[in-house]
Amino acid sequence: MNSDEDKRKFNAILVESILEGIDFGEVVLRFLELNFNLDRNEIADKPELFARCLEKTLGPWMADIFEKNILQILCKKISIDYPSIEDSTFSEAVKNAYKKYFKTTQT
């Protein structure tokens, strides 16, 4: 697999995790797409934009809860340990998860 394919696959897994990790995930994601310049196909590339939009929409407390839930689901899906990214911001955690995912796809 090349890097672009890996990135697309990781982004698809991340979007699945978002849809599973947020109540009414599809509705929330569609709202973010329509009201902010957010493209679901670019969340892995711009996790800070997703996090900022989620916080503006749901408030910091709810966004934090959903971000943690999304990251836990993502970690299960790509077989990495959640504690290895748990202390990072959402954006940093997504980027670190991608690096770990990319390493596993290269072996």
Side-chain angles (χ1 to χ4, degrees):
M1 240 188 258
N2 68 33
S3 178
D4 288 339
E5 286 180 52
D6 289 335
K7 185 65 111 175
R8 278 192 298 275
K9 188 170 180 187
F10 178 80
N11 193 78
I13 295 167
L14 177 57
V15 169
E16 276 181 25
S17 300
I18 291 167
L19 295 175
E20 292 173 24
I22 299 176
D23 295 337
F24 303 102
E26 182 62 42
V27 173
V28 172
L29 191 52
R30 188 70 182 129
F31 178 85
L32 298 179
E33 287 177 311
L34 292 171
N35 291 283
F36 301 93
N37 195 19
L38 180 73
D39 180 348
R40 73 176 62 207
N41 297 317
E42 297 178 350
I43 295 173
D45 292 321
K46 301 175 184 175
E48 60 284 337
L49 176 62
F50 173 79
R52 194 169 47 249
C53 295
L54 192 64
E55 186 173 323
K56 284 181 180 180
T57 303
L58 302 175
W61 184 72
M62 284 303 298
D64 187 54
I65 290 170
F66 284 131
E67 287 170 0
K68 287 178 182 174
N69 199 28
I70 292 164
L71 291 171
Q72 289 172 344
I73 293 167
L74 176 66
C75 287
K76 285 180 189 173
K77 287 181 177 287
I78 62 173
S79 301
I80 65 168
D81 291 327
Y82 174 69
S84 69
I85 63 169
E86 165 179 41
D87 294 330
S88 306
T89 65
F90 180 81
S91 179
E92 291 168 346
V94 168
K95 290 174 184 176
N96 288 336
Y98 175 70
K99 287 176 190 171
K100 292 172 188 253
Y101 171 80
F102 185 74
K103 283 181 186 176
T104 62
T105 63
Q106 300 306 302
T107 56

